Amino acid sequence: MLRRVLFAGCLAIGLLQATTAVRAAEQPIRLYVLDGGVLESDPGRYRLKPEEVQTTQLSIASFLVVHPKGTLMWDTGAISDETWTPGRRSVAKHLVLSNNADRYVTLTKSLSGQLKEIGYQPTDITYLALSHYHWDHVANANAFAKSTWLVRKSERDVMFPQPAAEPPQPSNFAALQKATTTLIATDDYDVFGDGTVVIKASTGHTPGHSVLYVKLAKTGGVVLGGDLYHYPEERTLNRLPSTDFNEAQTGRSREVLDVFLKQTGSQLWIQHDLVAHRKLKKAPAYYD
Ligand SMILES: [Zn+2]
């Protein structure tokens, strides 16, 4: 009798384990939107007049992709968590960039605080990928130095030039120099090997600028556009930024992405589009 009960118990545990494993494998991919605040900006840098844009302010966004085989952090915000303390009210930060330009960002939640709310610490994250190396995307990159960094050589070379450039490297991503790194050598890089999360070359804004395609079960395809566009009006009025590394290449990358969006029926999320960003569900809510 005891033996039969034990056998039944083992069978039940075995079944439970098998079901849990199947569930983990079948669990739909989740896309979390993390809010990095609001950036004061000048549409003139993107060949737009203030009266041509719905708002001159830009959103700062980061994203966490949770896949059955691991997690991917996409961009890391404009303000390092180490430089401020979240409270009840939003906090205004003034930054002086290495070229002495002033930037103003207002934010409410820290990146690590938002990750914590959904059960993660930066050190838990499997992969880090940055759309590009500019200051407003890399502020918390050092926190992800234990992740495997997925980067194009052309982008990494600008971040860590040899010999070192003056002024010294921005300290917010310095730790990535020693991180476990996968150098992406193809235009498309399939992060988890099943075509659902793909880093796509979209160069021009910077030498190795990329966008991220995420294929979600209910939402459908979403492309996180990095800085291929900043204001949605760059797209509707067909304007190119005046400060891109290679403006003509940005134009070509936009054309290539338009074809992909059409072919796959995917949405483009312009990461800096404040009006669109405000409408997105924020973590701990998610898209699946
Ligand atoms: Zn940006």
Side-chain angles (χ1 to χ4, degrees):
M1 179 64 187
L2 181 64
R3 211 188 251 177
R4 206 179 294 164
V5 170
L6 272 177
F7 176 73
C10 288
L11 197 69
I13 290 166
L15 272 176
L16 189 70
Q17 281 170 343
T19 323
T20 313
V22 168
R23 269 199 206 123
E26 282 176 355
Q27 188 157 29
I29 297 159
R30 291 180 174 186
L31 174 62
Y32 291 92
V33 181
L34 309 173
D35 183 34
V38 174
L39 167 65
E40 303 303 324
S41 184
D42 172 12
R45 285 204 290 273
Y46 311 98
R47 296 203 176 92
L48 289 161
K49 298 189 185 98
E51 61 270 26
E52 287 177 319
V53 295
Q54 213 177 328
T55 170
T56 58
Q57 295 178 315
L58 297 175
S59 50
I60 302 289
S62 310
F63 303 84
L64 178 71
V65 181
V66 177
H67 183 282
K69 287 189 184 160
T71 46
L72 167 71
M73 188 71 210
W74 178 256
D75 286 344
T76 64
I79 303 292
S80 167
D81 287 353
E82 289 171 10
T83 63
W84 69 293
T85 311
R88 287 191 176 190
R89 293 183 178 192
S90 52
V91 170
K93 293 286 292 180
H94 169 214
L95 276 101
V96 181
L97 304 183
S98 52
N99 62 358
N100 283 325
D102 292 295
R103 292 288 184 273
Y104 297 89
V105 179
T106 307
L107 72 176
T108 315
K109 289 181 163 188
S110 67
L111 184 66
S112 59
Q114 292 175 78
L115 286 175
K116 198 175 174 187
E117 259 189 90
I118 49 178
Y120 293 96
Q121 291 183 43
T123 48
D124 299 331
I125 304 304
T126 324
Y127 299 108
L128 168 71
L130 303 164
S131 61
H132 63 300
Y133 73 93
H134 286 165
W135 71 276
D136 54 318
H137 299 257
V138 301
N140 291 287
N142 282 342
F144 299 90
K146 288 220 164 78
S147 311
T148 296
W149 182 29
L150 308 175
V151 60
R152 289 177 204 284
K153 186 175 182 298
S154 53
E155 196 75 1
R156 193 182 183 281
D157 285 349
V158 202
M159 296 167 80
F160 300 109
Q162 295 298 335
E166 287 293 333
Q169 345 279 4
S171 56
N172 283 342
F173 59 73
L176 295 185
Q177 192 161 21
K178 288 179 182 164
T180 305
T181 302
T182 298
L183 288 177
I184 300 175
T186 48
D187 280 357
D188 278 6
Y189 181 80
D190 187 350
V191 178
F192 298 104
D194 61 1
T196 57
V197 183
V198 181
I199 298 171
K200 298 178 73 63
S202 196
T203 60
H205 185 61
T206 59
H209 182 270
S210 301
V211 299
L212 184 70
Y213 169 65
V214 186
K215 191 177 176 185
L216 297 166
K218 287 187 201 154
T219 311
V222 173
V223 173
L224 309 177
D227 279 11
L228 186 60
Y229 300 92
H230 301 73
Y231 292 97
E233 289 85 357
E234 284 168 63
R235 198 172 182 212
T236 49
L237 301 175
N238 199 20
R239 304 283 166 81
L240 281 163
S242 58
T243 51
D244 275 10
F245 168 75
N246 185 332
E247 196 179 311
Q249 183 57 51
T250 296
R252 286 193 290 274
S253 289
R254 287 179 175 184
E255 285 170 21
V256 168
L257 186 66
D258 276 343
V259 172
F260 177 79
L261 292 170
K262 231 182 204 173
Q263 276 173 352
T264 57
S266 299
Q267 314 172 37
L268 172 64
W269 289 2
I270 297 174
Q271 293 180 208
H272 283 306
D273 178 353
L274 181 64
V275 177
H277 175 77
R278 285 204 164 128
K279 291 179 191 155
L280 292 177
K281 285 188 269 189
K282 306 298 179 318
Y286 56 85
Y287 291 87
D288 61 4

